[in-house]
Amino acid sequence: MGRSPCCDKSGLKKGPWTPEEDMKLTQYIQIHGPGNWRTLPKNAGLERCGKSCRLRWTNYLRPDIKRGRFSFEEEETIIQLHSVLGNKWSAIAARLPGRTDNEIKNYWNTHIRKRLLRMGIDPVTHAPRLDLLDLSSLLSSPQLNLSSLIRLQTFVNPDALRLAMNLLSSQNENQLFNSQLQNQQAPVIQPNQFDNIINQQIPSNDLTTSSFHNQYSQSLQGNMGHFPVGSTNSIFQNNLKPTTSDQSLPSTDIPSFCYQMKSDSLSDNSSFDQALNYSSSTTNNFSFDNSVLSTPLSSPPPLNSASGLINGSTEDERDSFCSNLLRFEIPEGLDFEDFI
DNA sequence: AAACAGTGCAACCGCTCTGAC
DNA sequence: TGTCAGAGCGGTTGCACTGTT
């Protein structure tokens, strides 16, 4: 069916709202309620499209709208919810009293998204951006082979992967590449570590919240669109709290090293090695902040100890804060459908 | 001081969903 | 069950503002 215009566009005003228009709309809604948006402009004496009136009201004029800069707690909530819900701005806004989906969306695109990118985190998947890692570090791995590269294709920039494959192909043809690799310094990555990174397939029964894994991982895939099943599971498995019996969890799981990685560690020449070492050294501190997901949905998340430490105002401080807050747990009893 | 670039945000566009008939 | 209008939603645009050269 064809899409009908929400209103007759001719003669209707567009662009910024004037204070007079705002007053008319506000007064009308205060008396009659929001009601039918198509007939509202005419009844309220506005030369505006009903849709425009609805957006103006819901995004700006509503009395419960909270204006001003987002707090750290709100930002934390947004990032955590986005990691679960994706770009479901209205669902995220429902957990942030006084904030609109449009406002959250704008804030995400103009602030948080850029910050995550600077930290080397993909703002869509909340996963590490391995395409930023030094390709030479990948190539120096003794575990490098065609199957490894194919498995990496999910994470790595396609162009970089293509280059790696070409190099590997050359290696097979004349062994020259292989001898060059052997002449390099011994990589920091220990044997099997590299493959462990790639093979992030933790049995679900290793998880405290295995029920979560079984119940929700499929739903999450919908929000992780281009992420393959295995990778999506891996991300959430690795963000779930391990029990004392979970010592089998590898120490170099990708998400944890990503989330704890400092942005500047990605920029130097041995970023991959450093990242791995950093992960190994910090895995014992694999802690989880209080999650908004474990708080009543009707109230904002409580301040946690980490939040109390980050009340600085610089971008760097926020970067550091974000790297910590990108760790969270999802309680067993969580009804994920509630978020959809 | 002027020109230009970058940034942030309100508003719009158009597709999708939902419920009434 | 199919059609339609209304509403919701995510993505995009345009412009004002600010910073830099």
Side-chain angles (χ1 to χ4, degrees), chain A residues 97-334:
Chain A
R99 300 294 188 182
T100 68
D101 54 353
N102 201 45
E103 193 178 14
I104 294 170
K105 177 177 60 182
N106 284 334
Y107 189 72
W108 177 271
N109 288 329
T110 57
H111 294 89
I112 302 176
R113 185 176 174 275
K114 291 175 184 175
R115 191 169 300 134
L116 293 181
L117 286 171
R118 279 205 305 273
M119 295 164 62
I121 295 170
D122 188 327
V124 177
T125 63
H126 294 247
R129 293 186 64 203
L130 293 186
D131 57 326
L132 296 178
L133 300 179
D134 185 5
L135 183 60
S136 65
S137 297
L138 298 178
L139 293 172
S140 67
S141 166
Q143 298 292 318
L144 179 69
N145 55 44
L146 189 59
S147 62
S148 297
L149 288 174
I150 290 173
R151 276 175 286 176
L152 269 176
Q153 65 181 333
T154 304
F155 304 103
V156 180
N157 181 308
D159 293 334
L161 183 64
R162 201 174 302 119
L163 176 60
M165 287 206 167
N166 288 339
L167 288 172
L168 190 61
S169 175
S170 301
Q171 172 195 25
N172 292 335
E173 286 178 6
N174 57 23
Q175 300 297 315
L176 177 62
F177 181 59
N178 192 34
S179 64
Q180 289 173 338
L181 286 177
Q182 290 173 353
N183 289 335
Q184 289 183 354
Q185 287 186 327
V188 178
I189 307 173
Q190 298 302 313
N192 300 323
Q193 271 191 317
F194 185 76
D195 221 35
N196 282 342
I197 295 168
I198 304 169
N199 288 315
Q200 290 302 303
Q201 298 302 321
I202 306 168
S204 59
N205 57 10
D206 281 349
L207 299 166
T208 307
T209 51
S210 59
S211 61
F212 168 83
H213 166 264
N214 293 330
Q215 185 175 356
Y216 301 125
S217 59
Q218 285 189 334
S219 299
L220 293 169
Q221 289 158 27
N223 291 318
M224 292 300 202
H226 62 278
F227 241 80
V229 173
S231 301
T232 305
N233 289 346
S234 177
I235 286 168
F236 282 90
Q237 287 166 348
N238 290 328
N239 279 287
L240 297 174
K241 192 175 196 174
T243 65
T244 53
S245 64
D246 282 333
Q247 304 306 318
S248 59
L249 280 172
S251 62
T252 53
D253 51 294
I254 292 176
S256 66
F257 95 61
C258 160
Y259 292 161
Q260 299 177 48
M261 200 188 303
K262 303 299 183 188
S263 58
D264 56 1
S265 73
L266 289 168
S267 60
D268 62 29
N269 292 333
S270 57
S271 56
F272 194 59
D273 295 342
Q274 286 196 354
L276 290 173
N277 286 337
Y278 185 71
S279 170
S280 299
S281 65
T282 57
T283 302
N284 291 338
N285 298 325
F286 192 52
S287 61
F288 296 82
D289 301 326
N290 290 337
S291 169
V292 62
L293 298 176
S294 62
T295 62
L297 297 177
S298 58
S299 60
L303 291 176
N304 56 34
S305 56
S307 301
L309 296 173
I310 49 74
N311 279 335
S313 59
T314 67
E315 291 290 304
D316 287 345
E317 284 171 325
R318 286 197 171 208
D319 283 353
S320 176
F321 168 57
C322 286
S323 68
N324 288 326
L325 65 85
L326 281 165
R327 293 168 288 153
F328 61 95
E329 62 181 288
I330 298 174
E332 277 188 70
L334 173 68

Side-chain angles (χ1 to χ4, degrees), chain A residues 45-95:
Chain A
L46 290 164
E47 294 180 350
R48 289 275 184 174
C49 166
K51 189 173 182 176
S52 179
C53 293
R54 176 172 56 82
L55 289 173
R56 182 65 179 172
W57 173 255
T58 56
N59 289 336
Y60 201 84
L61 296 176
R62 242 172 47 204
D64 57 333
I65 293 290
K66 187 194 296 181
R67 313 301 306 178
R69 185 185 177 89
F70 280 74
S71 68
F72 286 110
E73 291 72 37
E74 287 176 313
E75 190 169 313
E76 175 186 6
T77 303
I78 292 170
I79 293 173
Q80 292 184 349
L81 287 174
H82 186 274
S83 70
V84 177
L85 299 170
N87 292 356
K88 304 290 184 187
W89 305 117
S90 60
I92 294 172
R95 270 75 193 176

